[in-house]
Amino acid sequence: SGAGRRPALPPPCARNGPAGAAPAAVAMGKRAAVVLAGCGVLDGSEIHEASAALVHLSRGGAEVKIFAPNIEQRDVVNHLKGSPTGEKRNVLVESARLARGDIQDLTELKVSEFDAVIFPGGFGVAKNLCSWAVDGQNCTVNEHVRATLQAFHSAKKPIGLCCIAPVLAAKVFPGCEVTVGQDKNVDGRFPDAETASAIAELGCKHVCKNVNESHVDKANKIVTTCAFMCKAPLHEIFDGIGTMIEEVLKLA
């Protein structure tokens, strides 16, 4: 009698598909690190840019972890009045607002655990991640930011930067190609166009691009877009950051 017996399993070849075929591989998303510089355009990361980068990374199926340096901000700005408050705040603590608390000290970032790194813009990049806001092209770059950029570059892993953040690449990688939009204030839409000249004076190539475009430096795997360096509707800035993220994930 066959009563009580377990039904026989089909042979392995029937379970895995055609004879000799291996089980289908599970698609793995890219692993991206996002480095923030505080919270708020005037003294930290630009919130819309950080959010846009995170949305496009999510849409691209990337696994994301967020980092920031554990340092004091250069200043704290009242975003209603546009003036400094004299307060003292910490870049990592402020960045945690954008990360919904899920954030790590930049010193904990290990390049071996990621396929790409992204730097949104905002004045915090020019104040906290480097001193461009005060010293221009003679600026110094925070040691942990510099080490992070150099580690990804040495590992031939892509780096995405938007808004003012491309100056980090220009300072750390002489000869690289980046965009911060246009090199002239076309129709009053690029009020910070002189940044392109400063980048060129550092020995880098500035490539003029519109707000909804990004530039890919294939040799260095650096992808940049101008974002709020252009006075443009928010959806155009969002789309431009989307092209940056798309190109970064292609290179990863």
Side-chain angles (χ1 to χ4, degrees):
S1 163
R5 292 183 186 173
R6 292 194 307 173
L9 290 171
C13 64
R15 296 200 300 272
N16 292 335
V26 178
M28 297 295 289
K30 304 295 185 181
R31 303 164 299 170
V34 174
V35 180
L36 299 180
C39 181
V41 59
L42 298 179
D43 57 14
S45 289
E46 210 296 320
I47 293 172
H48 297 292
E49 291 178 10
S51 179
L54 292 169
V55 168
H56 287 296
L57 285 166
S58 175
R59 183 170 285 153
E63 177 187 339
V64 177
K65 289 189 178 178
I66 304 175
F67 299 84
N70 186 11
I71 57 175
E72 187 176 296
Q73 290 185 188
R74 177 174 290 273
D75 64 7
V76 177
V77 177
N78 180 322
H79 279 62
L80 181 61
K81 296 180 178 179
S83 56
T85 67
E87 296 174 66
K88 301 293 185 185
R89 296 192 186 184
N90 178 279
V91 173
L92 178 59
V93 172
E94 291 301 295
S95 298
R97 295 173 180 272
L98 281 169
R100 298 172 61 88
D102 189 4
I103 193 168
Q104 293 173 261
D105 188 328
L106 184 58
T107 59
E108 301 299 316
L109 195 162
K110 297 179 177 60
V111 67
S112 61
E113 297 177 356
F114 295 93
D115 302 301
V117 65
I118 305 293
F119 287 81
F123 277 110
V125 172
K127 291 179 175 181
N128 304 325
L129 303 193
C130 71
S131 63
W132 185 278
V134 175
D135 302 318
Q137 65 205 62
N138 297 317
C139 72
T140 56
V141 178
N142 172 274
E143 61 177 315
H144 302 302
V145 172
R146 177 182 288 273
T148 297
L149 288 165
Q150 290 173 331
F152 275 86
H153 188 261
S154 296
K156 299 189 183 331
K157 294 181 177 182
I159 300 165
L161 312 103
C162 66
C163 193
I164 192 63
V167 302
L168 296 173
K171 191 66 181 179
V172 177
F173 307 117
C176 71
E177 300 176 359
V178 299
T179 188
V180 289
Q182 300 291 324
D183 56 10
K184 294 180 178 61
N185 190 8
V186 181
D187 298 326
R189 300 176 74 225
F190 294 89
D192 300 304
E194 71 276 2
T195 304
S197 300
I199 286 170
E201 289 174 16
L202 285 171
C204 298
K205 180 179 179 181
H206 180 268
V207 182
C208 291
K209 291 285 183 177
N210 291 322
V211 66
N212 59 348
E213 299 175 313
S214 56
H215 177 69
V216 181
D217 177 346
K218 293 182 180 177
N220 290 295
K221 290 194 172 183
I222 296 171
V223 187
T224 51
T225 189
C226 68
F228 276 101
M229 294 292 275
C230 176
K231 290 184 176 180
L234 182 57
H235 71 276
E236 292 184 10
I237 291 163
F238 182 88
D239 291 346
I241 292 171
T243 69
M244 178 192 74
I245 297 297
E246 182 180 1
E247 294 297 338
V248 165
L249 293 179
K250 281 182 189 175
L251 292 171

